[in-house]
Amino acid sequence: MTEQTLTPVTSIANTDAERILEEARAAHERFLIKQQDPDLERAIECYVDAIKASPTLSESYYRLASLLLIKGQITVEGALEQCKTAVSLEPSNPNAHIYTGYFHCLNGDLKEAEKEFSLAISGSGINSARPRLFLSKVLLNRIQANSSSGTPL
């Protein structure tokens, strides 16, 4: 046998995980558009399967957390734990920081949200418009809260 015909087991597992992850993304997108439970269930199932196939794919963790939170199966704290796993697996992934920041916002922790959105901006380079929008919303909320309470910035 030649080297070219041998495929490492990890390569097969990663290819399978990527295929499952792609199916999860498609079901997730369908759910966001149509808001139908079968798509939500399918996306959750596929994200769980992707984690089983390759526990090092950070995207599966934060996307699964968002869907489980929508479904009421985890709390915001549980979603944050999933995001911490994603960030630990891929610290430079801007989306992991965006989701973490979003969940911090839901939890009322705007300082941590600001920190996460800033990390997402620094990891996004030229494509930093989305995390910048999130950060600007957090900063605006802080300014509005401070001005209504009379607290200086």
Side-chain angles (χ1 to χ4, degrees), residues 78-149:
L80 282 166
E81 285 301 314
Q82 291 294 315
C83 286
K84 286 178 187 174
T85 300
V87 168
S88 72
L89 291 171
E90 197 176 353
S92 62
N93 183 331
N95 288 321
H97 290 289
I98 288 172
Y99 276 80
T100 305
Y102 171 72
F103 293 131
H104 277 302
C105 283
L106 291 180
N107 216 20
D109 191 349
L110 298 183
K111 285 279 188 198
E112 283 299 311
E114 186 177 332
K115 180 180 121 186
E116 291 297 330
F117 292 140
S118 294
L119 288 168
I121 291 167
S122 65
S124 295
I126 197 164
N127 298 319
S128 64
R130 198 167 59 129
R132 285 179 190 278
L133 286 172
F134 292 125
L135 178 59
S136 65
K137 178 69 173 157
V138 169
L139 294 174
L140 180 61
N141 286 344
R142 189 173 69 182
I143 290 168
Q144 289 173 338
N146 287 339
S147 66
S148 67
S149 68

Side-chain angles (χ1 to χ4, degrees), residues 10-60:
T10 56
S11 177
I12 293 169
N14 285 341
T15 302
D16 193 38
E18 288 292 335
R19 180 190 54 75
I20 296 167
L21 185 57
E22 187 57 40
E23 188 176 337
R25 286 184 199 122
H28 192 159
E29 185 176 318
R30 282 192 310 273
F31 170 72
L32 292 174
I33 293 168
K34 297 179 186 177
Q35 296 290 304
Q36 294 183 354
D37 285 338
D39 293 324
L40 174 63
E41 294 298 329
R42 184 66 184 148
I44 289 171
E45 180 183 318
C46 287
Y47 285 131
V48 169
D49 289 346
I51 290 170
K52 288 177 184 174
S54 180
T56 60
L57 291 174
S58 66
E59 180 181 348
S60 301

